[in-house]
Amino acid sequence: MAESYDVIVLGSGPGGYVAAIRASQLGLKTAIVERELLGGICLNWGCIPTKALLRSAEIFHFMQHAKDYGLAAEKISADLDAVVKRSRGVAKQLNQGVTHLMKKNKIAVHMGTGKLTGQKNDKIRKLTVTAEDGKTTELTARNIILATGARARDLPGLPADGNKVWTYRHAMTPKEMPKKLLVIGSGAIGIEFASFYNDMGAEVTVVEMLDRIVPVEDADISAHLEKALKKQGMTIMTGAKVDKIAADANGVKATITGKDGKAVNGEFSHVIVAIGIVPNTADIGLKELGVDVDDRGFLKTDGACKTNIDGLYAIGDITAPPWLAHKASHEGVIAAEAIAGKHPHAMDPRNIPGCTYCHPQIASVGLTEAKAKEAGYEVKVGNFPFIGNGKAIALGEPEGFVKTVFDAKTGELLGAHMIGAEVTEMIQGYTIGKTLETTEAELIETVFPHPTISETMHEAVLSAYGRVLHI
């Protein structure tokens, strides 16, 4: 006989396990199905262990520049194996934390590969779980939340093998330190690994097909980051395309056409492919049920994360962008509350912050200046550099700036964009402001503590209205 629940969550990443916890809190009998490790990609192979790697690289960078702080550090070296071991330890600790949360919230955990079964018009949804040993378990529930996430997209004709051709997962547990690294793609994942390996001593080249790196960010942020990375020794090629690439036991050979139309041949020890993601939607029963997907294969959902099939919800990286862990978690809460008969607010993508943990860090929320103008807004734009901030200078981190974009007619904060030290921590101030529909008036009247880098946030608002104080 099938095991029966109120809610089954397929996938235990930051969207799935949060959805399960919230469903349980609301009194729903809940199960979660996971084929690999509780916590999903984010906790085990993505967000968290990557930040552990980047923290090691950051400390290594500071040690190499100890003289700038009046200190001496001699014979500095990096042990890549030890750095990776620390990162894996962090991931293991968090995996154990999620396991504890499942027990604490009385959520049944089924390890194995889940597949939707039954018919489109069924009142009770069905899911078959196949364990590693081939044993199957039948589960039923009135509602199922799909949270199966996504995987890295391979280069056509050159799938990642973990030897010389890597995805983020291989780059997180490298067999060897790259000497000369090619990174294809300059989104958050590509730039973070480029930053990590550059700080660790590799010679890094980044190739981006579009006309600027981190292309989803404001153009001013992209320009500043490119300048900073080149100063750190990276080669940045924008408006460029990898025309030919081949790998063997000795390394990678690539032909790259630059924005000037000239092709150059390069030899690299390794390549990281960071050209996007593919949703994990194959072989989970979507086609048989007639679930609507877009032309890229991502599931279509409404404001409550519901698909076109009754009792079937979808969250996270298998749905529309942005593909971010915190977006998935919030969608998990929305879906659980909708199932429980609550009336949660629909997700507003304009209020979802984005963070990139390269060196320097990037953080943003809302519309870029260009997107705001495209949307028909008359804008007021403010800008304040870190060099005008006492705390940033004292930290030895004077590079960076904060940019704000306001609706000139209403004072609504449309977007905020930052680059520099600790901006991934600061962006939440603007995110709260946007969620509360704050205008420039409230932000101007807010008292920011001194001395903090967050004062640059205040000054960037003042700048938009001709009232900047410290430049």
Side-chain angles (χ1 to χ4, degrees), residues 126-153:
K126 301 174 183 178
L127 189 110
T128 299
V129 182
T130 304
E132 278 192 10
D133 61 6
K135 182 182 178 181
T136 61
T137 304
E138 302 298 325
L139 310 178
T140 63
R142 289 191 175 275
N143 299 279
I144 293 177
I145 300 173
L146 302 176
T148 51
R151 62 189 183 279
R153 185 182 299 278

Short mmCIF file of all heavy atoms in Angstrom, two decimals, residues 126-153:
data_model
loop_
_atom_site.label_atom_id
_atom_site.label_comp_id
_atom_site.label_asym_id
_atom_site.label_seq_id
_atom_site.Cartn_x
_atom_site.Cartn_y
_atom_site.Cartn_z
N LYS A 126 0.46 11.03 -7.35
CA LYS A 126 1.25 9.83 -7.06
C LYS A 126 2.71 10.04 -7.46
O LYS A 126 3.00 10.70 -8.45
CB LYS A 126 0.67 8.63 -7.81
CG LYS A 126 -0.78 8.32 -7.46
CD LYS A 126 -1.34 7.22 -8.34
CE LYS A 126 -2.82 6.97 -8.03
NZ LYS A 126 -3.40 5.93 -8.91
N LEU A 127 3.59 9.43 -6.68
CA LEU A 127 5.01 9.54 -6.95
C LEU A 127 5.69 8.21 -6.59
O LEU A 127 5.46 7.67 -5.50
CB LEU A 127 5.63 10.68 -6.13
CG LEU A 127 7.07 11.02 -6.48
CD1 LEU A 127 7.13 12.38 -7.16
CD2 LEU A 127 7.95 11.06 -5.24
N THR A 128 6.50 7.72 -7.49
CA THR A 128 7.26 6.49 -7.25
C THR A 128 8.71 6.84 -6.95
O THR A 128 9.34 7.59 -7.69
CB THR A 128 7.20 5.55 -8.47
OG1 THR A 128 5.84 5.19 -8.72
CG2 THR A 128 8.00 4.28 -8.20
N VAL A 129 9.22 6.30 -5.85
CA VAL A 129 10.62 6.54 -5.47
C VAL A 129 11.41 5.26 -5.68
O VAL A 129 11.06 4.21 -5.13
CB VAL A 129 10.72 6.98 -4.00
CG1 VAL A 129 12.18 7.27 -3.64
CG2 VAL A 129 9.85 8.21 -3.73
N THR A 130 12.47 5.36 -6.46
CA THR A 130 13.34 4.22 -6.71
C THR A 130 14.67 4.42 -6.01
O THR A 130 15.41 5.37 -6.31
CB THR A 130 13.58 4.03 -8.22
OG1 THR A 130 12.31 3.90 -8.89
CG2 THR A 130 14.42 2.79 -8.49
N ALA A 131 14.98 3.55 -5.07
CA ALA A 131 16.22 3.66 -4.30
C ALA A 131 17.40 3.14 -5.13
O ALA A 131 17.22 2.56 -6.20
CB ALA A 131 16.09 2.87 -3.01
N GLU A 132 18.61 3.33 -4.61
CA GLU A 132 19.81 2.89 -5.32
C GLU A 132 19.81 1.40 -5.57
O GLU A 132 20.33 0.92 -6.58
CB GLU A 132 21.07 3.29 -4.53
CG GLU A 132 21.50 4.72 -4.75
CD GLU A 132 22.89 4.98 -4.18
OE1 GLU A 132 23.57 4.01 -3.79
OE2 GLU A 132 23.29 6.15 -4.12
N ASP A 133 19.23 0.64 -4.65
CA ASP A 133 19.21 -0.82 -4.81
C ASP A 133 18.09 -1.30 -5.72
O ASP A 133 17.89 -2.51 -5.88
CB ASP A 133 19.12 -1.50 -3.44
CG ASP A 133 17.84 -1.13 -2.68
OD1 ASP A 133 16.97 -0.46 -3.26
OD2 ASP A 133 17.72 -1.55 -1.51
N GLY A 134 17.34 -0.35 -6.30
CA GLY A 134 16.27 -0.70 -7.21
C GLY A 134 14.91 -0.87 -6.56
O GLY A 134 13.89 -1.01 -7.25
N LYS A 135 14.87 -0.86 -5.24
CA LYS A 135 13.60 -1.00 -4.53
C LYS A 135 12.73 0.23 -4.75
O LYS A 135 13.21 1.36 -4.71
CB LYS A 135 13.86 -1.20 -3.04
CG LYS A 135 12.60 -1.40 -2.22
CD LYS A 135 12.92 -1.56 -0.73
CE LYS A 135 11.64 -1.70 0.09
NZ LYS A 135 11.95 -1.84 1.55
N THR A 136 11.44 0.02 -4.98
CA THR A 136 10.53 1.14 -5.22
C THR A 136 9.55 1.30 -4.07
O THR A 136 9.16 0.33 -3.42
CB THR A 136 9.74 0.95 -6.53
OG1 THR A 136 8.95 -0.24 -6.43
CG2 THR A 136 10.67 0.88 -7.72
N THR A 137 9.20 2.57 -3.84
CA THR A 137 8.20 2.92 -2.83
C THR A 137 7.16 3.82 -3.47
O THR A 137 7.53 4.79 -4.17
CB THR A 137 8.85 3.64 -1.64
OG1 THR A 137 9.90 2.83 -1.10
CG2 THR A 137 7.83 3.95 -0.56
N GLU A 138 5.90 3.52 -3.26
CA GLU A 138 4.82 4.34 -3.82
C GLU A 138 4.35 5.34 -2.77
O GLU A 138 4.03 4.96 -1.64
CB GLU A 138 3.65 3.46 -4.26
CG GLU A 138 4.03 2.40 -5.29
CD GLU A 138 4.53 3.01 -6.59
OE1 GLU A 138 4.02 4.07 -6.99
OE2 GLU A 138 5.45 2.42 -7.20
N LEU A 139 4.31 6.61 -3.16
CA LEU A 139 3.83 7.67 -2.28
C LEU A 139 2.64 8.38 -2.93
O LEU A 139 2.57 8.49 -4.15
CB LEU A 139 4.93 8.70 -2.02
CG LEU A 139 6.31 8.20 -1.56
CD1 LEU A 139 7.26 9.38 -1.39
CD2 LEU A 139 6.19 7.40 -0.27
N THR A 140 1.73 8.87 -2.10
CA THR A 140 0.60 9.65 -2.61
C THR A 140 0.42 10.90 -1.75
O THR A 140 0.77 10.91 -0.57
CB THR A 140 -0.71 8.85 -2.61
OG1 THR A 140 -1.06 8.52 -1.25
CG2 THR A 140 -0.59 7.59 -3.44
N ALA A 141 -0.13 11.92 -2.37
CA ALA A 141 -0.43 13.17 -1.66
C ALA A 141 -1.39 14.00 -2.48
O ALA A 141 -1.46 13.86 -3.71
CB ALA A 141 0.85 13.96 -1.39
N ARG A 142 -2.12 14.86 -1.82
CA ARG A 142 -2.99 15.77 -2.56
C ARG A 142 -2.18 16.82 -3.32
O ARG A 142 -2.64 17.33 -4.35
CB ARG A 142 -3.96 16.47 -1.60
CG ARG A 142 -5.04 15.55 -1.05
CD ARG A 142 -6.13 16.32 -0.34
NE ARG A 142 -7.21 15.43 0.07
CZ ARG A 142 -8.22 15.06 -0.72
NH1 ARG A 142 -8.27 15.52 -1.97
NH2 ARG A 142 -9.15 14.25 -0.28
N ASN A 143 -0.98 17.09 -2.82
CA ASN A 143 -0.15 18.11 -3.45
C ASN A 143 1.31 17.66 -3.48
O ASN A 143 1.82 17.09 -2.51
CB ASN A 143 -0.24 19.43 -2.70
CG ASN A 143 -1.65 19.99 -2.68
OD1 ASN A 143 -2.10 20.60 -3.64
ND2 ASN A 143 -2.38 19.77 -1.57
N ILE A 144 1.96 17.94 -4.60
CA ILE A 144 3.39 17.67 -4.75
C ILE A 144 4.09 18.95 -5.18
O ILE A 144 3.60 19.68 -6.07
CB ILE A 144 3.64 16.56 -5.79
CG1 ILE A 144 3.11 15.22 -5.27
CG2 ILE A 144 5.13 16.44 -6.12
CD1 ILE A 144 3.26 14.08 -6.26
N ILE A 145 5.21 19.25 -4.53
CA ILE A 145 6.02 20.42 -4.89
C ILE A 145 7.29 19.92 -5.57
O ILE A 145 8.06 19.16 -4.98
CB ILE A 145 6.39 21.25 -3.65
CG1 ILE A 145 5.12 21.76 -2.94
CG2 ILE A 145 7.28 22.43 -4.04
CD1 ILE A 145 5.40 22.46 -1.61
N LEU A 146 7.49 20.31 -6.82
CA LEU A 146 8.68 19.93 -7.57
C LEU A 146 9.80 20.93 -7.30
O LEU A 146 9.63 22.14 -7.51
CB LEU A 146 8.38 19.88 -9.06
CG LEU A 146 7.26 18.92 -9.49
CD1 LEU A 146 7.00 19.06 -10.99
CD2 LEU A 146 7.60 17.49 -9.13
N ALA A 147 10.93 20.44 -6.84
CA ALA A 147 12.08 21.30 -6.52
C ALA A 147 13.36 20.58 -6.91
O ALA A 147 14.29 20.44 -6.11
CB ALA A 147 12.07 21.64 -5.03
N THR A 148 13.41 20.11 -8.15
CA THR A 148 14.51 19.25 -8.59
C THR A 148 15.74 20.02 -9.07
O THR A 148 16.76 19.41 -9.41
CB THR A 148 14.03 18.31 -9.71
OG1 THR A 148 13.36 19.06 -10.72
CG2 THR A 148 13.06 17.28 -9.16
N GLY A 149 15.66 21.35 -9.14
CA GLY A 149 16.85 22.14 -9.43
C GLY A 149 17.33 22.04 -10.87
O GLY A 149 16.58 21.71 -11.79
N ALA A 150 18.62 22.32 -11.05
CA ALA A 150 19.20 22.37 -12.40
C ALA A 150 20.64 21.90 -12.34
O ALA A 150 21.23 21.74 -11.26
CB ALA A 150 19.12 23.79 -12.96
N ARG A 151 21.21 21.70 -13.51
CA ARG A 151 22.61 21.27 -13.62
C ARG A 151 23.32 22.16 -14.64
O ARG A 151 22.68 22.88 -15.40
CB ARG A 151 22.69 19.82 -14.06
CG ARG A 151 22.09 19.55 -15.43
CD ARG A 151 21.99 18.06 -15.72
NE ARG A 151 21.47 17.80 -17.07
CZ ARG A 151 20.19 17.83 -17.39
NH1 ARG A 151 19.27 18.11 -16.49
NH2 ARG A 151 19.81 17.56 -18.64
N ALA A 152 24.63 22.11 -14.63
CA ALA A 152 25.41 22.95 -15.55
C ALA A 152 25.20 22.51 -16.99
O ALA A 152 25.10 21.32 -17.29
CB ALA A 152 26.89 22.87 -15.18
N ARG A 153 25.16 23.48 -17.88
CA ARG A 153 25.03 23.20 -19.31
C ARG A 153 26.41 22.88 -19.89
O ARG A 153 27.38 23.60 -19.65
CB ARG A 153 24.43 24.41 -20.02
CG ARG A 153 24.14 24.19 -21.50
CD ARG A 153 23.60 25.46 -22.13
NE ARG A 153 22.36 25.89 -21.51
CZ ARG A 153 21.15 25.41 -21.83
NH1 ARG A 153 21.04 24.47 -22.75
NH2 ARG A 153 20.07 25.86 -21.22
#
